Amino acid sequence: MLSAYPLKALLCFTLPFSTRIVVATQDPIIIQPIEFGAMSSPTYHLPPLPYGYNALEPHISTQIMELHHSGHHQAYVNNLNAALKNHAAAVQSNDIRTQISLQQAIKFNAGGHINHSLFWRNLAPPGSSESKSSSAPNLIKQINATWGDEEKFRDAFKTALLGIQGSGWGWLVKTGTGADKNRLSIITTKDQDPVVGKGEVPIFGVDMWEHAYYLQYKNGKAAYVENIWNVINWKVAEKRFLGSSEDDNACLKSTQGLLQV
Amino acid sequence: MNSTLLRTSALRSAVRATAPSAASRATIAGTTFVRGKATLPDLSYDYGALEPAISGKIMELHHSKHHQTYVNSFNTFSEQMAEAKHKEDIQAQIALQPMINFHGGGHVNHTLFWENLAPTKQGGGEPPKGQLAKAINDSYGSLDGFKEKFNTALAGIQGSGWAWLVQDTQTGSVLIKTYANQDPVVGRFRPILGIDAWEHAYYLQYENRKAEYFKAIWDVINWQAAEKRFK
């Protein structure tokens, strides 16, 4: 079945570390549809994790990872597929009111799918070479140029994460325009709003929904924010930093290509 | 509820029978901004009293940690607000407004929430009576019809937030509204009954099965408290 699709689409499939085909410098976002449902709406799938559920212990517990991936992320995928199917039916029947009423459900659930897909890949087992910031020499250089040093950056990131009121995410983002294309910035997004601003490239994200830490850290979210640094995948962060927003959008474009097949 | 939310330090002290002397209070008044401080209200039931609907562990963390943090932060930002007003620093006052809304809202919401819960032994789950029951039936057909609509509203919250049965102060009718994060029910609508849909309200017990929490919580709803709020 895979061979029926253009090569570009293949680049977007997520595979375990051992079998992943590395063909581009960017970290692909895993948002391609693999099958078509009724009314020509694409069907999205839960990407497998590139490590085991217990691989981020002791910083993120196995139980959290399992629920988060197989429960929460799967629900976003399912709800996205359902919303897109209804949307496709509404397009088919020229029902513009229903199309508009579905926008928020699509944004929320597609955002949840995009955010978690990025998140899993920007985490790595503690102690692995990926988890060392030395795996991201170019990114660290830019971080130091922006915040002074790594510690000041981490402090600024921590402050942003702990300042989120309600559910949301903290992101290191490359804002990439013109001569200043490597400019970095820390942003927070509410609920499942994805980082999709013009030219914005998410480098790594930290999930600040309570489901991301509560079973282990309970109301002590500052400790979660402290420990997350042990499992950030700097190798992936470096790849995203070196990529362009065009690279980052490559899989979205291939999605559009697939829709025209 | 106001007396629960905001006790003046003098009243609070009086309750503890350790009222400071008039002289010491006068000294404080001369140097800082004396104002009512928000305090964490006591629950009228034990942490374990809402089991099995809500576990004792959840209740303990939710009340003694989460609610306490809203109280502390509200007091901190209120002091900063008073200082900004004193200095006539309008920018600082505006910058503090979201913090007052969030932490003050967290305090108000949780205070109302604890009051509109009760153990089954103390009437939790007993259906509403009188005018409130009539208003619910008029709008939703039946109590079960209302619960179904309310649970749909709860399930539809995207992120953290609350669902409330509110009364429209203009028309007197009741309706279900959801609020993001800790946005409190203020202004045109009067809060009658609230259910916390933040993950911390159920996750230790129900994990990602929030629909089970929404179903179970009706066993410990204190409709008498809701009736008192209804006008």
Side-chain angles (χ1 to χ4, degrees):
Chain A
M1 163 175 178
L2 294 184
S3 59
Y5 295 97
L7 177 64
K8 207 170 182 187
L10 280 176
L11 307 186
C12 303
F13 287 101
T14 182
L15 297 165
F17 270 131
S18 53
T19 52
R20 201 192 314 148
I21 310 157
V22 180
V23 286
T25 53
Q26 84 276 11
D27 178 57
I29 306 176
I30 314 96
I31 38 187
Q32 82 303 338
I34 304 182
E35 294 160 10
F36 292 92
M39 314 305 273
S40 296
S41 67
T43 303
Y44 292 88
H45 293 266
L46 182 70
L49 289 186
Y51 38 74
Y53 285 134
N54 64 353
L56 306 183
E57 294 263 12
H59 308 294
I60 304 179
S61 74
T62 307
Q63 191 191 9
I64 287 177
M65 289 301 293
E66 186 168 356
L67 279 166
H68 202 171
H69 178 259
S70 71
H72 292 276
H73 190 167
Q74 182 71 65
Y76 291 116
V77 170
N78 295 347
N79 293 333
L80 171 62
N81 288 333
L84 288 175
K85 195 174 163 187
N86 293 337
H87 188 267
V91 170
Q92 196 87 351
S93 60
N94 270 333
D95 181 351
I96 199 165
R97 292 168 64 94
T98 301
Q99 290 173 47
I100 292 167
S101 75
L102 285 163
Q103 293 298 315
Q104 186 50 36
I106 292 170
K107 181 179 181 181
F108 180 70
N109 292 295
H113 180 38
I114 293 171
N115 290 339
H116 286 93
S117 297
L118 287 164
F119 182 54
W120 307 134
R121 297 173 65 88
N122 69 223
L123 298 178
S128 64
S129 64
E130 288 91 343
S131 72
K132 311 276 187 247
S133 62
S134 53
S135 295
N138 292 290
L139 174 58
I140 288 295
K141 201 175 149 200
Q142 188 65 23
I143 282 174
N144 290 343
T146 309
W147 283 277
D149 60 45
E150 239 182 284
E151 196 173 326
K152 284 184 190 139
F153 161 69
R154 288 180 193 209
D155 279 349
F157 202 86
K158 179 182 174 175
T159 302
L161 290 175
L162 295 179
I164 293 171
Q165 296 180 338
S167 300
W169 293 73
W171 295 93
L172 174 64
V173 173
K174 186 172 73 161
T175 45
T177 49
D180 201 15
K181 68 182 171 64
N182 285 336
R183 183 159 43 127
L184 293 175
S185 129
I186 296 166
I187 64 165
T188 61
T189 50
K190 71 174 174 63
D191 304 326
Q192 293 298 355
D193 287 358
V195 179
V196 288
K198 193 168 168 24
E200 288 179 347
V201 179
I203 306 295
F204 60 76
V206 176
D207 190 348
M208 289 305 290
W209 280 59
E210 287 175 323
H211 67 235
Y213 61 84
Y214 207 83
L215 290 179
Q216 186 175 359
Y217 294 94
K218 309 204 166 65
N219 62 308
K221 64 180 171 183
Y224 163 69
V225 164
E226 201 65 50
N227 286 348
I228 197 82
W229 294 113
N230 296 307
V231 291
I232 291 294
N233 189 327
W234 288 97
K235 197 173 163 192
V236 163
E238 176 86 345
K239 270 207 269 181
R240 291 177 184 166
F241 175 67
L242 295 175
S244 71
S245 60
E246 281 304 301
D247 290 337
D248 203 59
N249 283 329
C251 293
L252 279 167
K253 288 191 173 171
S254 71
T255 297
Q256 287 162 0
L258 276 174
L259 285 168
Q260 288 157 13
V261 167
Chain B
M1 186 192 82
N2 285 342
S3 62
T4 320
L5 278 174
L6 284 173
R7 295 168 189 154
T8 65
S9 51
L11 176 60
R12 182 81 173 160
S13 301
V15 169
R16 289 175 174 166
T18 53
S21 70
S24 71
R25 263 181 288 143
T27 311
I28 295 165
T31 51
T32 61
F33 309 94
V34 165
R35 55 197 324 282
K37 278 218 166 200
T39 53
L40 183 68
D42 294 331
L43 295 185
S44 62
Y45 41 80
D46 293 335
Y47 286 138
L50 304 183
E51 293 196 356
I54 306 176
S55 76
K57 182 75 182 163
I58 287 178
M59 288 301 295
E60 183 177 354
L61 282 165
H62 202 170
H63 177 258
S64 73
K65 301 293 185 188
H66 290 277
H67 190 168
Q68 182 71 63
T69 302
Y70 290 117
V71 168
N72 295 347
S73 302
F74 173 70
N75 285 331
T76 300
F77 291 116
S78 293
E79 275 168 31
Q80 291 179 16
M81 181 64 94
E83 205 177 309
K85 281 181 182 159
H86 181 69
K87 289 180 181 164
E88 295 179 9
D89 183 342
I90 295 174
Q91 279 106 325
Q93 289 175 51
I94 294 168
L96 283 163
Q97 279 174 3
M99 313 308 279
I100 300 283
N101 181 69
F102 182 69
H103 297 284
H107 178 37
V108 171
N109 289 338
H110 285 93
T111 301
L112 289 164
F113 182 53
W114 309 135
E115 286 174 4
N116 68 222
L117 297 177
T120 48
K121 274 183 284 185
Q122 294 170 36
E126 294 279 332
K129 299 186 205 86
Q131 289 302 307
L132 178 57
K134 188 178 175 301
I136 287 172
N137 285 336
D138 287 350
S139 292
Y140 299 97
S142 66
L143 185 60
D144 283 345
F146 162 74
K147 287 181 187 174
E148 201 183 309
K149 288 271 188 340
F150 202 98
N151 283 3
T152 302
L154 281 165
I157 294 172
Q158 296 180 335
S160 299
W162 294 72
W164 291 91
L165 172 65
V166 300
Q167 186 175 17
D168 186 334
T169 58
Q170 288 178 7
T171 65
S173 64
V174 292
L175 63 157
I176 297 164
K177 281 176 68 70
T178 60
Y179 290 76
N181 303 323
Q182 295 296 356
D183 288 354
V185 183
V186 290
R188 175 174 163 182
F189 300 101
R190 178 182 296 130
I192 305 296
L193 167 72
I195 294 181
D196 191 346
W198 279 60
E199 290 176 321
H200 67 234
Y202 62 83
Y203 208 83
L204 290 182
Q205 185 176 358
Y206 294 96
E207 294 165 352
N208 62 324
R209 304 179 310 277
K210 62 181 174 182
E212 290 177 26
Y213 160 67
F214 298 149
K215 188 160 175 274
I217 199 164
W218 296 103
D219 295 342
V220 290
I221 290 297
N222 183 349
W223 282 104
Q224 280 184 26
E227 285 162 19
K228 282 182 198 150
R229 293 172 187 162
F230 182 73
K231 295 209 165 65

